[in-house]
Amino acid sequence: MDKKNTALMRLYSLLDRIIEPWPTACEKGCASCCTTHVTATTLEGRAVLDYLEKENRTLPANLDEGELFSPAVTTNGLARLCMEREEPPEEFKPDHFNPCPFLEDGVCSIYPARPLGCRVMLSASRCKPGGFAEMDDYWLTVNQVFLQALEALDCPGRFGNFSLILQYLAFGQSVENLLNNEPVPGLMIPPEHQQQISAILPELNRILAAAMG
């Protein structure tokens, strides 16, 4: 396992430790938020493909079904635009999201390898159909910080819809709807969360430094 893959696993582990005491309504079989809306990086896509290979499984046949959400800017790209006081570009969002192709009887079939975009979904109440989660403001900041760190870790990789990332890696399909990852221009942490999140940052920085050193 190379340095970046090791760092990705450490990033997941750190998030799991933070989530453990957090009150949540999420449980096995609750899959309303498990849709084709999820985004990922190429680093995560390779981890999923490695997991499938180890499990002697293949990608689902319906990976490219339906209209797929494609972000117009990466997480760090959005942070950069905010710091430059510029408006982010408009994004196309389909009216309907299909269930995630990795769902089997309402359960995630790649749960140990699921991307960060899935892991950070933590709702205080059961999600309604359509994937709307009730998320604490501080948890949204934690999400932002972890997603920014992940993107920086995968530079110069790519970011986009999870299904498109997998198709690009597995089949060499077009990168037209994928974005180049960007370094962290600055962490998007509201003043009211600075003190609380400061306990996380040293370990997060160590993870990134070990991968990039």
Side-chain angles (χ1 to χ4, degrees):
M1 185 178 291
D2 65 26
K3 286 184 177 181
K4 288 196 174 184
N5 281 328
T6 299
L8 178 64
M9 296 304 110
R10 290 180 63 192
L11 200 67
Y12 287 166
S13 179
L14 175 58
L15 185 67
D16 287 343
R17 296 203 306 272
I18 296 168
I19 287 174
E20 189 174 2
W22 201 269
T24 175
C26 303
E27 58 185 14
K28 188 175 182 178
C30 175
S32 295
C33 65
C34 302
T35 70
T36 51
H37 184 286
V38 173
T39 56
T41 62
T42 43
L43 179 62
E44 295 174 290
R46 290 188 186 94
V48 169
L49 293 176
D50 288 345
Y51 176 79
L52 291 173
E53 184 177 0
K54 289 175 184 176
E55 295 292 312
N56 197 28
R57 293 169 50 201
T58 58
L59 287 168
N62 61 337
L63 195 65
D64 59 352
E65 285 186 2
E67 290 184 301
L68 298 176
F69 163 70
S70 292
V73 65
T74 70
T75 309
N76 283 331
L78 180 60
R80 174 178 49 78
L81 290 175
C82 288
M83 291 179 176
E84 294 171 354
R85 299 184 182 277
E86 293 191 20
E87 289 292 323
E90 291 188 10
E91 295 180 323
F92 166 73
K93 293 185 179 180
D95 294 330
H96 172 74
F97 297 116
N98 287 340
C100 176
F102 288 101
L103 280 178
E104 295 179 1
D105 298 322
V107 176
C108 178
S109 63
I110 57 165
Y111 193 79
R114 70 198 186 282
L116 193 64
C118 302
R119 295 168 187 266
V120 296
M121 288 296 292
L122 199 64
S123 183
S125 60
R126 291 298 294 262
C127 297
K128 299 175 182 178
F132 296 102
E134 180 187 345
M135 303 179 77
D136 181 87
D137 286 345
Y138 173 68
W139 188 252
L140 291 175
T141 298
V142 173
N143 290 3
Q144 175 76 18
V145 168
F146 270 80
L147 290 168
Q148 284 192 255
L150 170 65
E151 182 181 339
L153 178 63
D154 194 29
C155 284
R158 295 182 183 272
F159 171 86
N161 184 281
F162 182 36
S163 291
L164 295 178
I165 287 283
L166 291 174
Q167 291 175 60
Y168 161 64
L169 293 173
F171 311 121
Q173 292 194 7
S174 172
V175 297
E176 181 181 352
N177 291 318
L178 301 181
L179 305 168
N180 292 321
N181 288 328
E182 298 187 26
V184 177
L187 292 174
M188 300 295 285
I189 305 173
E192 62 270 23
H193 297 156
Q194 290 278 357
Q195 183 174 359
Q196 191 174 2
I197 209 166
S198 63
I200 300 172
L201 298 182
E203 185 166 356
L204 202 57
N205 288 332
R206 284 194 293 272
I207 291 171
L208 294 179
M212 300 174 180

